[in-house]
């Protein structure tokens, strides 16, 4: 699996063919977006909505959108935050990790999570955090199976949705 940063045009737009791929990936994850409420109609996610959502992510300092490809096909996306807005929180965050639902349960999510963890580890980071929306039981099971532990329960910063905050210590790089 190849992990690359989201390429933007000189005008800071997502290239049209890539936006089409990203929209298909988002649309394939209807169940998550029905739970999250991130889009007005999870049955009709539009390219301009995906572009706006990603632009909002990238507006955060230290945010990065990473694309996961396997054999040239976009199979996942991860949004990371190198520094949390709360200065008391020293850990980087995974804001979103999503795999095309057509390839769920084939190991892509595990590999994508490992690649993101490796990126943070090579930067000398010692742990990573993320939040799982209440009611997203499959995501909670996925992350805990990867060694993440629930360290808090609180509303998310953006929308006030109830979440479990998970943390995983990273293997020290020597």
């Amino acid at each position: 699996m190849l992990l690359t940063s989201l390429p933007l045009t000189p005008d800071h737009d997502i290239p049209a063919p890539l936006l089409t791929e990203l929209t298909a990936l988002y649309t394939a994850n209807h169940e998550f977006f029905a739970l999250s409420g991130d889009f007005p109609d999870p049955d009709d996610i539009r390219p301009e909505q995906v572009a706006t959502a990603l632009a909002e992510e990238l507006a955060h300092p230290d945010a990065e959108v990473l694309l996961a490809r396997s054999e040239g096909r976009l199979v996942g996306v991860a949004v990371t935050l190198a520094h949390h807005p709360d200065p008391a929180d020293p850990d980087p965050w995974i804001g979103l990790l999503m795999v095309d639902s057509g390839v769920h349960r084939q190991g892509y999510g595990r590999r994508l999570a490992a690649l993101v963890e490796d990126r943070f580890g090579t930067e000398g980071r010692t742990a990573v955090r993320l939040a799982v929306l209440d009611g997203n039981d499959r995501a909670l099971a996925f992350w805990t199976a990867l060694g993440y532990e629930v360290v808090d329960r609180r509303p998310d910063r953006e929308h006030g949705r109830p979440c479990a905050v998970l943390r995983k210590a990273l293997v020290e790089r020597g």
Side-chain angles (χ1 to χ4, degrees), residues 77 94 96-99 103-115 117 130-132 136-149 166 168:
V77 63
I94 298 172
L96 175 70
L97 189 137
M98 184 170 45
V99 172
V103 294
H104 279 181
R105 306 199 61 78
Q106 294 180 30
Y108 290 107
R110 285 180 179 274
R111 288 197 299 267
L112 178 51
L115 288 170
E117 291 168 5
L130 56 90
V132 173
N136 195 346
D137 298 335
R138 287 196 309 185
L140 187 60
F142 170 80
W143 291 110
T144 55
L146 295 181
Y148 286 77
E149 297 178 359
L166 290 86
K168 179 180 180 180

Side-chain angles (χ1 to χ4, degrees), residues 1-168:
M1 179 182 301
L2 180 64
L3 193 62
T4 60
S5 293
L6 176 71
L8 299 176
T9 68
D11 293 330
H12 301 285
D13 293 324
I14 300 170
L18 179 55
L19 184 56
T20 299
E21 286 182 290
L22 285 162
T23 302
L25 184 124
Y26 276 57
T27 300
N29 284 280
H30 170 271
E31 189 176 319
F32 170 74
F33 290 113
L35 174 67
S36 73
D38 289 339
F39 296 101
D41 183 355
D43 293 318
D44 188 25
I45 298 174
R46 307 250 175 197
E48 59 273 11
Q49 293 171 316
V50 173
T52 298
L54 290 171
E56 288 171 2
E57 294 287 0
L58 290 170
H60 294 281
D62 301 318
E64 188 173 20
V65 176
L66 302 168
L67 306 177
R69 291 191 177 276
S70 179
E71 298 177 9
R73 177 176 178 235
L74 182 67
V75 294
V77 63
V79 178
T80 63
L81 191 60
H83 299 97
H84 193 272
D86 179 353
D89 184 344
D91 297 327
W93 280 68
I94 298 172
L96 175 70
L97 189 137
M98 184 170 45
V99 172
D100 186 321
S101 67
V103 294
H104 279 181
R105 306 199 61 78
Q106 294 180 30
Y108 290 107
R110 285 180 179 274
R111 288 197 299 267
L112 178 51
L115 288 170
V116 170
E117 291 168 5
D118 287 347
R119 285 173 71 100
F120 285 132
T122 59
E123 294 170 2
R125 306 308 288 271
T126 58
V128 64
R129 293 183 194 226
L130 56 90
V132 173
L133 293 172
D134 282 5
N136 195 346
D137 298 335
R138 287 196 309 185
L140 187 60
F142 170 80
W143 291 110
T144 55
L146 295 181
Y148 286 77
E149 297 178 359
V150 175
V151 295
D152 196 9
R153 293 201 176 272
R154 65 179 183 230
D156 73 358
R157 293 178 63 92
E158 296 285 323
H159 305 289
R161 302 169 293 197
C163 296
V165 176
L166 290 86
R167 183 176 191 268
K168 179 180 180 180

